[in-house]
Coordinates of all heavy atoms in Angstrom, one line a residue:
M1 N -5.4 12.2 12.0 CA -4.8 10.9 12.2 C -3.7 10.9 13.1 O -2.8 11.8 13.0 CB -4.4 10.4 10.8 CG -3.6 9.1 10.8 SD -3.3 8.5 9.2 CE -3.0 6.8 9.6
T2 N -3.6 10.0 14.1 CA -2.5 9.9 15.0 C -1.7 8.7 14.6 O -2.1 7.9 13.9 CB -2.9 9.9 16.5 OG1 -3.6 8.6 16.7 CG2 -3.8 11.0 16.9
G3 N -0.5 8.6 15.3 CA 0.3 7.4 14.9 C -0.3 6.1 15.2 O 0.1 5.1 14.6
S4 N -1.3 6.0 16.1 CA -1.9 4.7 16.4 C -3.2 4.4 15.7 O -3.8 3.4 15.9 CB -2.1 4.6 17.9 OG -3.0 5.6 18.4
D5 N -3.7 5.4 14.9 CA -4.9 5.2 14.2 C -4.8 4.3 13.1 O -3.7 4.2 12.4 CB -5.4 6.6 13.6 CG -5.9 7.5 14.7 OD1 -6.2 7.1 15.8 OD2 -6.1 8.7 14.4
V6 N -5.9 3.5 12.8 CA -5.9 2.6 11.6 C -6.5 3.5 10.5 O -7.6 4.1 10.7 CB -6.7 1.4 11.9 CG1 -6.9 0.6 10.6 CG2 -6.1 0.6 13.0
P7 N -5.8 3.5 9.3 CA -6.4 4.3 8.2 C -7.7 3.8 7.8 O -8.0 2.6 7.9 CB -5.4 4.2 7.1 CG -4.2 3.5 7.7 CD -4.6 2.9 9.0
Q8 N -8.5 4.6 7.2 CA -9.8 4.2 6.6 C -9.6 3.4 5.4 O -8.7 3.6 4.6 CB -10.6 5.5 6.2 CG -11.0 6.3 7.4 CD -12.0 5.5 8.3 OE1 -12.9 4.9 7.9 NE2 -11.7 5.5 9.6
P9 N -10.4 2.3 5.2 CA -10.3 1.6 4.0 C -10.6 2.4 2.7 O -11.5 3.3 2.8 CB -11.4 0.5 4.1 CG -11.7 0.4 5.6 CD -11.4 1.8 6.1
S10 N -9.9 2.2 1.7 CA -10.2 2.9 0.4 C -10.6 1.9 -0.6 O -10.0 0.9 -0.9 CB -8.9 3.6 -0.1 OG -9.0 4.1 -1.4
H11 N -11.8 2.3 -1.2 CA -12.3 1.4 -2.3 C -11.8 2.0 -3.7 O -12.1 1.4 -4.7 CB -13.8 1.4 -2.3 CG -14.3 0.9 -1.0 ND1 -14.2 -0.4 -0.6 CD2 -14.9 1.5 0.1 CE1 -14.7 -0.6 0.6 NE2 -15.1 0.5 1.0
E12 N -11.0 3.0 -3.6 CA -10.5 3.7 -4.8 C -9.1 3.1 -5.3 O -8.8 3.1 -6.4 CB -10.4 5.2 -4.6 CG -11.7 5.9 -4.4 CD -11.5 7.3 -4.0 OE1 -10.4 7.9 -4.2 OE2 -12.5 7.9 -3.6
W13 N -8.4 2.6 -4.3 CA -7.0 2.1 -4.6 C -6.8 0.7 -4.4 O -7.3 0.1 -3.4 CB -6.0 2.9 -3.7 CG -5.9 4.3 -4.1 CD1 -6.5 5.4 -3.5 CD2 -5.1 4.9 -5.2 NE1 -6.2 6.5 -4.1 CE2 -5.3 6.2 -5.2 CE3 -4.3 4.3 -6.2 CZ2 -4.8 7.1 -6.1 CZ3 -3.8 5.2 -7.1 CH2 -4.0 6.5 -7.0
T14 N -6.0 0.0 -5.3 CA -5.7 -1.4 -5.2 C -4.2 -1.5 -5.4 O -3.6 -0.9 -6.3 CB -6.4 -2.2 -6.2 OG1 -7.8 -2.1 -6.1 CG2 -6.0 -3.7 -6.1
A15 N -3.5 -2.2 -4.5 CA -2.1 -2.4 -4.6 C -1.9 -3.8 -5.3 O -2.5 -4.8 -4.9 CB -1.4 -2.5 -3.3
I16 N -1.1 -3.8 -6.4 CA -0.9 -5.0 -7.2 C 0.5 -5.6 -6.9 O 1.5 -4.9 -7.0 CB -1.0 -4.7 -8.7 CG1 -2.2 -3.8 -9.1 CG2 -0.9 -5.9 -9.6 CD1 -3.5 -4.5 -8.8
F17 N 0.4 -6.9 -6.5 CA 1.7 -7.6 -6.1 C 1.9 -8.8 -7.0 O 1.0 -9.5 -7.4 CB 1.6 -8.1 -4.7 CG 1.6 -7.0 -3.6 CD1 0.4 -6.4 -3.2 CD2 2.8 -6.6 -3.1 CE1 0.5 -5.4 -2.3 CE2 2.8 -5.6 -2.1 CZ 1.7 -5.0 -1.7
S18 N 3.2 -9.0 -7.4 CA 3.6 -10.2 -8.1 C 3.9 -11.3 -7.2 O 4.7 -11.1 -6.2 CB 4.9 -9.8 -8.9 OG 5.5 -11.0 -9.4
I19 N 3.2 -12.4 -7.3 CA 3.5 -13.6 -6.5 C 4.9 -14.1 -6.8 O 5.6 -14.5 -5.8 CB 2.4 -14.7 -6.7 CG1 1.1 -14.2 -6.3 CG2 2.8 -16.0 -6.0 CD1 -0.1 -15.1 -6.6
K20 N 5.3 -14.2 -8.0 CA 6.6 -14.7 -8.4 C 7.7 -13.9 -7.8 O 8.7 -14.4 -7.2 CB 6.7 -14.8 -9.9 CG 8.0 -15.4 -10.3 CD 8.1 -15.6 -11.9 CE 9.4 -16.2 -12.3 NZ 9.5 -16.3 -13.7
A21 N 7.6 -12.6 -7.9 CA 8.7 -11.7 -7.4 C 8.5 -11.3 -5.9 O 9.4 -10.8 -5.3 CB 8.8 -10.4 -8.2
R22 N 7.3 -11.6 -5.4 CA 6.9 -11.2 -4.0 C 7.2 -9.7 -3.8 O 7.8 -9.3 -2.9 CB 7.7 -12.1 -3.0 CG 7.3 -13.5 -3.0 CD 8.1 -14.3 -2.1 NE 8.2 -13.8 -0.8 CZ 8.5 -14.5 0.3 NH1 8.7 -15.7 0.2 NH2 8.6 -13.9 1.5
A23 N 6.7 -8.9 -4.8 CA 7.0 -7.5 -4.8 C 5.8 -6.7 -5.2 O 5.0 -7.2 -6.0 CB 8.2 -7.2 -5.6
L24 N 5.7 -5.4 -4.8 CA 4.7 -4.5 -5.2 C 5.0 -4.1 -6.7 O 6.1 -3.7 -6.9 CB 4.7 -3.2 -4.3 CG 3.8 -2.1 -4.8 CD1 2.3 -2.5 -4.6 CD2 4.1 -0.9 -4.0
E25 N 4.1 -4.3 -7.6 CA 4.3 -3.9 -9.0 C 3.8 -2.5 -9.2 O 4.2 -1.8 -10.1 CB 3.7 -4.9 -9.9 CG 4.4 -6.2 -9.9 CD 3.8 -7.1 -11.0 OE1 2.7 -7.0 -11.5 OE2 4.6 -8.0 -11.5
G26 N 2.7 -2.1 -8.5 CA 2.2 -0.8 -8.7 C 0.9 -0.6 -8.0 O 0.4 -1.5 -7.3
L27 N 0.3 0.5 -8.3 CA -1.0 0.9 -7.7 C -2.0 1.2 -8.8 O -1.7 1.8 -9.9 CB -0.8 2.1 -6.8 CG 0.2 2.1 -5.7 CD1 0.4 3.4 -5.1 CD2 -0.2 1.0 -4.7
Y28 N -3.3 0.8 -8.6 CA -4.3 1.1 -9.5 C -5.4 2.0 -8.8 O -5.9 1.6 -7.7 CB -5.0 -0.2 -10.0 CG -6.2 0.0 -10.8 CD1 -6.1 0.2 -12.2 CD2 -7.5 0.0 -10.3 CE1 -7.2 0.4 -13.0 CE2 -8.6 0.2 -11.1 CZ -8.4 0.4 -12.4 OH -9.5 0.6 -13.2
G29 N -5.7 3.1 -9.3 CA -6.7 4.0 -8.7 C -7.9 4.0 -9.6 O -7.8 4.2 -10.8
A30 N -9.1 3.7 -9.1 CA -10.3 3.6 -9.8 C -10.6 4.9 -10.5 O -10.2 6.0 -10.0 CB -11.5 3.3 -8.9
A31 N -11.2 4.8 -11.7 CA -11.4 6.0 -12.5 C -12.6 6.8 -11.9 O -13.6 6.3 -11.5 CB -11.8 5.6 -13.9
P32 N -12.4 8.1 -11.8 CA -13.5 9.0 -11.4 C -14.6 9.0 -12.5 O -14.3 8.6 -13.6 CB -12.9 10.4 -11.2 CG -11.7 10.3 -12.1 CD -11.2 8.9 -12.1
A33 N -15.8 9.4 -12.2 CA -16.9 9.4 -13.2 C -16.4 10.1 -14.4 O -16.0 11.3 -14.4 CB -18.1 10.0 -12.6
G34 N -16.5 9.4 -15.5 CA -16.1 10.0 -16.8 C -14.6 10.2 -17.0 O -14.2 10.8 -18.0
G35 N -13.8 9.7 -16.1 CA -12.3 9.9 -16.3 C -11.6 8.6 -16.5 O -12.2 7.5 -16.7
Q36 N -10.3 8.7 -16.5 CA -9.4 7.6 -16.7 C -8.9 7.1 -15.3 O -8.6 7.9 -14.4 CB -8.2 8.0 -17.5 CG -8.5 8.4 -19.0 CD -9.0 7.2 -19.8 OE1 -8.4 6.1 -19.7 NE2 -10.1 7.4 -20.5
P37 N -8.6 5.7 -15.2 CA -8.0 5.2 -14.0 C -6.6 5.7 -13.8 O -5.9 6.1 -14.8 CB -8.1 3.7 -14.1 CG -8.1 3.5 -15.6 CD -8.8 4.7 -16.2
T38 N -6.1 5.7 -12.6 CA -4.7 6.1 -12.4 C -3.9 4.8 -12.2 O -4.3 4.0 -11.4 CB -4.6 6.9 -11.1 OG1 -5.4 8.1 -11.2 CG2 -3.2 7.3 -10.8
I39 N -2.8 4.7 -12.9 CA -2.0 3.5 -12.8 C -0.6 4.0 -12.5 O 0.0 4.8 -13.3 CB -2.0 2.7 -14.1 CG1 -3.4 2.2 -14.4 CG2 -1.0 1.5 -14.0 CD1 -3.6 1.5 -15.7
I40 N 0.0 3.6 -11.4 CA 1.3 4.0 -11.0 C 2.1 2.7 -10.9 O 1.9 1.8 -10.1 CB 1.3 4.7 -9.6 CG1 0.4 5.9 -9.6 CG2 2.7 5.0 -9.2 CD1 0.1 6.5 -8.3
R41 N 3.1 2.6 -11.7 CA 4.0 1.4 -11.7 C 5.2 1.6 -10.9 O 5.8 2.7 -10.9 CB 4.4 1.0 -13.1 CG 3.3 0.7 -14.1 CD 3.7 0.2 -15.4 NE 2.6 0.1 -16.4 CZ 1.6 -0.7 -16.4 NH1 1.5 -1.6 -15.5 NH2 0.7 -0.6 -17.3
S42 N 5.6 0.6 -10.1 CA 6.8 0.6 -9.3 C 8.0 0.7 -10.2 O 8.2 -0.1 -11.1 CB 6.9 -0.6 -8.4 OG 8.1 -0.5 -7.6
S43 N 8.9 1.7 -10.0 CA 10.1 1.8 -10.9 C 11.2 0.8 -10.5 O 12.0 0.5 -11.3 CB 10.6 3.2 -10.8 OG 11.0 3.5 -9.5
A44 N 11.2 0.4 -9.3 CA 12.2 -0.6 -8.8 C 11.6 -1.6 -7.8 O 11.7 -1.4 -6.6 CB 13.4 0.1 -8.2
P45 N 10.8 -2.6 -8.3 CA 10.2 -3.5 -7.3 C 11.2 -4.2 -6.4 O 12.3 -4.6 -6.8 CB 9.5 -4.5 -8.3 CG 9.4 -3.9 -9.6 CD 10.5 -2.9 -9.7
T46 N 10.8 -4.2 -5.1 CA 11.7 -4.8 -4.1 C 10.9 -5.9 -3.5 O 9.7 -5.7 -3.1 CB 12.1 -3.8 -3.1 OG1 12.7 -2.7 -3.7 CG2 13.0 -4.3 -2.0
S47 N 11.5 -7.1 -3.4 CA 10.8 -8.2 -2.7 C 10.5 -7.9 -1.3 O 11.4 -7.4 -0.6 CB 11.7 -9.5 -2.8 OG 11.8 -9.9 -4.1
A48 N 9.4 -8.3 -0.8 CA 9.0 -8.2 0.6 C 9.7 -9.2 1.4 O 9.8 -10.4 1.0 CB 7.5 -8.3 0.7
P49 N 10.1 -8.8 2.7 CA 10.6 -9.8 3.6 C 9.5 -10.9 3.9 O 8.3 -10.6 3.8 CB 10.9 -9.0 4.9 CG 11.0 -7.6 4.4 CD 10.0 -7.5 3.2
D50 N 10.0 -12.0 4.3 CA 9.1 -13.2 4.6 C 7.9 -12.8 5.5 O 6.7 -13.1 5.1 CB 9.8 -14.3 5.2 CG 10.7 -15.0 4.2 OD1 10.6 -14.8 3.0 OD2 11.6 -15.8 4.7
A51 N 8.1 -12.1 6.6 CA 7.1 -11.8 7.5 C 6.0 -10.8 6.9 O 4.8 -11.0 7.1 CB 7.6 -11.2 8.8
M52 N 6.5 -9.9 6.1 CA 5.6 -8.9 5.5 C 4.8 -9.7 4.4 O 3.6 -9.4 4.3 CB 6.4 -7.8 4.9 CG 5.5 -6.8 4.2 SD 6.4 -5.4 3.5 CE 6.6 -4.4 5.0
W53 N 5.4 -10.5 3.7 CA 4.7 -11.3 2.6 C 3.6 -12.1 3.2 O 2.5 -12.1 2.7 CB 5.7 -12.1 1.8 CG 5.0 -12.7 0.6 CD1 4.7 -14.0 0.4 CD2 4.5 -12.0 -0.6 NE1 4.1 -14.2 -0.8 CE2 4.0 -13.0 -1.4 CE3 4.6 -10.7 -1.0 CZ2 3.4 -12.7 -2.7 CZ3 4.0 -10.4 -2.2 CH2 3.4 -11.4 -3.0
R54 N 3.9 -12.8 4.3 CA 2.9 -13.6 5.0 C 1.7 -12.8 5.4 O 0.6 -13.1 5.3 CB 3.5 -14.4 6.1 CG 4.3 -15.6 5.7 CD 4.7 -16.5 6.8 NE 5.4 -15.9 7.9 CZ 6.7 -15.7 8.0 NH1 7.5 -16.2 7.0 NH2 7.3 -15.1 9.0
M55 N 2.0 -11.6 6.0 CA 1.0 -10.7 6.5 C 0.1 -10.2 5.3 O -1.1 -10.2 5.4 CB 1.6 -9.5 7.2 CG 0.6 -8.5 7.7 SD 1.3 -7.0 8.3 CE 2.0 -6.2 6.8
L56 N 0.8 -9.8 4.2 CA 0.0 -9.4 3.0 C -0.9 -10.4 2.5 O -2.1 -10.1 2.2 CB 1.0 -9.0 1.9 CG 1.7 -7.7 2.0 CD1 2.8 -7.6 1.0 CD2 0.7 -6.5 1.8
Q57 N -0.4 -11.7 2.4 CA -1.3 -12.7 1.9 C -2.4 -13.1 2.9 O -3.5 -13.4 2.5 CB -0.5 -14.0 1.7 CG 0.4 -13.8 0.5 CD 1.2 -15.1 0.1 OE1 1.8 -15.7 1.0 NE2 1.1 -15.5 -1.1
A58 N -2.2 -12.9 4.2 CA -3.2 -13.2 5.2 C -4.2 -12.1 5.3 O -5.5 -12.4 5.3 CB -2.6 -13.5 6.6
Q59 N -3.8 -10.9 5.3 CA -4.7 -9.7 5.5 C -5.3 -9.2 4.2 O -6.4 -8.6 4.2 CB -3.9 -8.6 6.1 CG -3.4 -8.9 7.5 CD -4.5 -9.3 8.5 OE1 -5.5 -8.7 8.5 NE2 -4.2 -10.4 9.2
K60 N -4.6 -9.5 3.0 CA -5.1 -9.1 1.7 C -5.4 -7.5 1.6 O -6.3 -7.1 0.9 CB -6.3 -9.8 1.3 CG -6.0 -11.3 1.2 CD -7.1 -12.1 0.5 CE -6.8 -13.6 0.4 NZ -5.8 -14.2 1.0
C61 N -4.6 -6.8 2.4 CA -4.6 -5.3 2.3 C -3.3 -4.8 2.7 O -2.4 -5.5 3.2 CB -5.7 -4.8 3.3 SG -5.5 -5.2 5.0
V62 N -3.1 -3.5 2.4 CA -1.8 -2.8 2.7 C -2.1 -1.4 3.0 O -3.1 -0.8 2.5 CB -0.9 -3.0 1.5 CG1 -1.4 -2.3 0.2 CG2 0.5 -2.5 1.8
V63 N -1.3 -0.8 3.8 CA -1.4 0.6 4.1 C -0.6 1.4 3.1 O 0.6 1.2 3.0 CB -1.0 1.0 5.6 CG1 -1.0 2.5 5.8 CG2 -1.9 0.2 6.6
L64 N -1.2 2.3 2.4 CA -0.5 3.2 1.5 C -0.5 4.6 2.2 O -1.5 5.1 2.7 CB -1.3 3.4 0.2 CG -1.6 2.1 -0.6 CD1 -2.5 2.4 -1.8 CD2 -0.3 1.4 -1.0
C65 N 0.8 5.1 2.3 CA 0.9 6.4 3.0 C 1.8 7.3 2.2 O 2.7 6.9 1.5 CB 1.3 6.2 4.4 SG 2.9 5.6 4.6
T66 N 1.6 8.6 2.5 CA 2.5 9.7 2.0 C 2.9 10.5 3.2 O 2.3 10.5 4.2 CB 1.8 10.6 1.0 OG1 0.7 11.2 1.6 CG2 1.3 9.8 -0.2
G67 N 4.0 11.2 3.0 CA 4.5 12.1 4.0 C 5.8 11.7 4.7 O 6.3 12.4 5.5
L68 N 6.2 10.4 4.4 CA 7.4 9.9 5.0 C 8.2 9.2 3.9 O 7.7 8.8 2.9 CB 7.1 8.9 6.1 CG 6.4 9.4 7.3 CD1 6.0 8.3 8.2 CD2 7.4 10.3 8.1
A69 N 9.5 9.1 4.1 CA 10.4 8.4 3.2 C 11.3 7.4 3.9 O 11.5 7.6 5.1 CB 11.2 9.4 2.4
G70 N 11.8 6.4 3.2 CA 12.7 5.5 3.8 C 12.0 4.5 4.8 O 10.9 4.1 4.6
D71 N 12.7 4.3 5.9 CA 12.2 3.3 6.9 C 12.1 4.1 8.2 O 12.9 4.1 9.1 CB 13.2 2.2 7.1 CG 12.6 1.0 7.9 OD1 11.4 1.1 8.2 OD2 13.4 0.2 8.3
P72 N 11.0 4.9 8.4 CA 10.8 5.8 9.5 C 10.6 5.0 10.8 O 10.1 3.9 10.9 CB 9.6 6.6 9.2 CG 8.8 5.7 8.3 CD 9.8 4.9 7.5
T73 N 11.1 5.6 11.9 CA 10.9 5.1 13.3 C 9.4 5.3 13.7 O 8.7 6.2 13.1 CB 11.8 5.7 14.3 OG1 11.5 7.1 14.4 CG2 13.3 5.5 13.8
A74 N 9.0 4.7 14.8 CA 7.7 4.9 15.4 C 7.6 6.4 15.8 O 6.5 7.0 15.6 CB 7.4 4.0 16.5
A75 N 8.6 7.0 16.3 CA 8.6 8.4 16.7 C 8.4 9.3 15.5 O 7.6 10.3 15.6 CB 9.9 8.8 17.5
E76 N 9.1 9.0 14.4 CA 8.9 9.8 13.2 C 7.5 9.7 12.6 O 7.0 10.7 12.1 CB 10.0 9.4 12.2 CG 11.4 9.8 12.5 CD 12.4 9.2 11.6 OE1 12.2 8.1 11.1 OE2 13.5 9.8 11.5
I77 N 6.9 8.5 12.7 CA 5.6 8.3 12.2 C 4.6 9.1 13.1 O 3.7 9.8 12.6 CB 5.2 6.8 12.2 CG1 6.0 6.1 11.1 CG2 3.7 6.6 11.9 CD1 5.9 4.6 11.2
G78 N 4.8 9.0 14.4 CA 3.9 9.8 15.3 C 4.0 11.3 15.1 O 3.0 12.0 15.1
A79 N 5.3 11.8 14.9 CA 5.5 13.2 14.7 C 4.8 13.7 13.4 O 4.2 14.8 13.3 CB 7.0 13.5 14.7
A80 N 5.0 12.9 12.3 CA 4.4 13.2 11.0 C 2.8 13.2 11.2 O 2.2 14.1 10.6 CB 4.8 12.3 10.0
A81 N 2.3 12.3 11.9 CA 0.8 12.2 12.1 C 0.4 13.4 12.9 O -0.6 14.1 12.5 CB 0.4 10.9 12.7
A82 N 1.1 13.7 14.0 CA 0.7 14.8 14.8 C 0.8 16.1 14.1 O 0.0 17.1 14.3 CB 1.5 14.8 16.1
G83 N 1.7 16.3 13.2 CA 1.9 17.5 12.4 C 1.0 17.6 11.2 O 1.1 18.5 10.4
G84 N 0.2 16.6 11.0 CA -0.7 16.6 9.8 C -0.1 16.3 8.5 O -0.6 16.6 7.4
K85 N 1.1 15.8 8.5 CA 1.9 15.5 7.3 C 1.7 14.1 6.8 O 2.1 13.7 5.7 CB 3.4 15.8 7.5 CG 3.6 17.2 7.8 CD 5.1 17.4 8.0 CE 5.4 18.9 8.3 NZ 6.8 19.2 8.6
L86 N 1.1 13.2 7.6 CA 0.9 11.8 7.3 C -0.5 11.6 6.8 O -1.5 11.9 7.5 CB 1.2 10.9 8.5 CG 1.2 9.4 8.3 CD1 2.3 9.0 7.4 CD2 1.3 8.7 9.6
H87 N -0.6 11.0 5.6 CA -1.9 10.7 5.0 C -1.8 9.2 4.6 O -0.9 8.8 3.9 CB -2.2 11.6 3.8 CG -2.1 13.1 4.1 ND1 -3.1 13.7 4.8 CD2 -1.1 14.0 4.0 CE1 -2.8 14.9 5.0 NE2 -1.6 15.1 4.5
A88 N -2.8 8.5 5.0 CA -2.8 7.0 4.7 C -4.2 6.5 4.4 O -5.2 7.0 4.9 CB -2.2 6.3 5.9
V89 N -4.2 5.4 3.6 CA -5.5 4.7 3.4 C -5.1 3.2 3.5 O -4.0 2.8 3.3 CB -6.1 5.0 2.0 CG1 -6.6 6.4 1.9 CG2 -5.2 4.6 0.9
L90 N -6.1 2.4 3.8 CA -6.0 0.9 3.8 C -6.5 0.5 2.4 O -7.7 0.6 2.1 CB -6.8 0.4 4.9 CG -6.7 -1.1 5.2 CD1 -5.2 -1.4 5.6 CD2 -7.6 -1.5 6.3
A91 N -5.6 -0.1 1.6 CA -6.0 -0.5 0.2 C -6.0 -2.0 0.1 O -5.2 -2.7 0.8 CB -5.0 0.1 -0.8
R92 N -6.9 -2.5 -0.8 CA -6.9 -3.9 -1.1 C -5.6 -4.4 -1.8 O -5.1 -3.6 -2.6 CB -8.1 -4.2 -2.0 CG -8.3 -5.6 -2.4 CD -9.6 -5.8 -3.2 NE -9.5 -5.0 -4.5 CZ -9.7 -5.5 -5.7 NH1 -10.1 -6.8 -5.8 NH2 -9.7 -4.8 -6.8
A93 N -5.2 -5.5 -1.5 CA -4.0 -6.1 -2.1 C -4.5 -7.2 -3.1 O -5.3 -8.0 -2.8 CB -3.0 -6.7 -1.1
L94 N -4.0 -7.1 -4.3 CA -4.3 -8.0 -5.4 C -3.1 -8.7 -5.8 O -2.0 -8.1 -6.1 CB -5.0 -7.3 -6.6 CG -5.4 -8.2 -7.8 CD1 -6.5 -9.1 -7.4 CD2 -5.8 -7.3 -8.9
F95 N -3.1 -10.1 -5.9 CA -1.9 -10.9 -6.2 C -2.1 -11.6 -7.6 O -3.2 -12.0 -7.9 CB -1.7 -12.0 -5.1 CG -1.5 -11.4 -3.8 CD1 -2.6 -11.2 -2.9 CD2 -0.3 -11.0 -3.3 CE1 -2.5 -10.7 -1.7 CE2 -0.1 -10.5 -2.0 CZ -1.2 -10.3 -1.2
H96 N -1.1 -11.6 -8.4 CA -1.1 -12.3 -9.6 C 0.2 -13.0 -9.9 O 1.2 -12.7 -9.3 CB -1.6 -11.4 -10.8 CG -0.4 -10.5 -11.3 ND1 0.3 -10.8 -12.4 CD2 0.1 -9.4 -10.8 CE1 1.2 -9.9 -12.5 NE2 1.1 -9.0 -11.6

């Protein structure tokens, strides 16, 4: 994956958002055959900025990624991707 690649859609993960709080509440991972689903709750939900919220509602998906923390620059994202440290999927966004 490079910094400009679009991640592959994931049918395993769903990001759950609160409409009232306009925030990510957690992630739901589909159960593997014979297993339990994975539920990850946000420990400190943060309201999304207006532009991001509008994008989430219009696109109904969100990029979930690992390998970076905070608010990385485009150069940091590119370097992480080039170094094989960035892993991402395109997950469905569910609002309630």
Side-chain angles (χ1 to χ4, degrees):
M1 168 173 204
T2 66
S4 61
D5 288 345
V6 174
Q8 293 297 312
S10 171
H11 302 287
E12 298 173 11
W13 290 99
T14 301
I16 311 297
F17 290 88
S18 164
I19 294 171
K20 184 177 180 180
R22 293 176 48 158
L24 175 68
E25 288 189 337
L27 304 172
Y28 174 84
Q36 295 291 318
T38 301
I39 299 172
I40 303 169
R41 298 190 194 286
S42 178
S43 61
T46 303
S47 294
D50 290 342
M52 181 179 281
W53 188 251
R54 285 192 303 273
M55 180 187 69
L56 282 168
Q57 289 186 308
Q59 299 300 318
K60 299 191 179 12
C61 61
V62 63
V63 174
L64 303 176
C65 65
T66 63
L68 295 171
D71 191 11
T73 65
E76 291 169 328
I77 293 170
K85 296 179 181 178
L86 184 65
H87 304 280
V89 295
L90 188 63
R92 178 175 64 128
L94 179 68
F95 303 90
H96 77 98

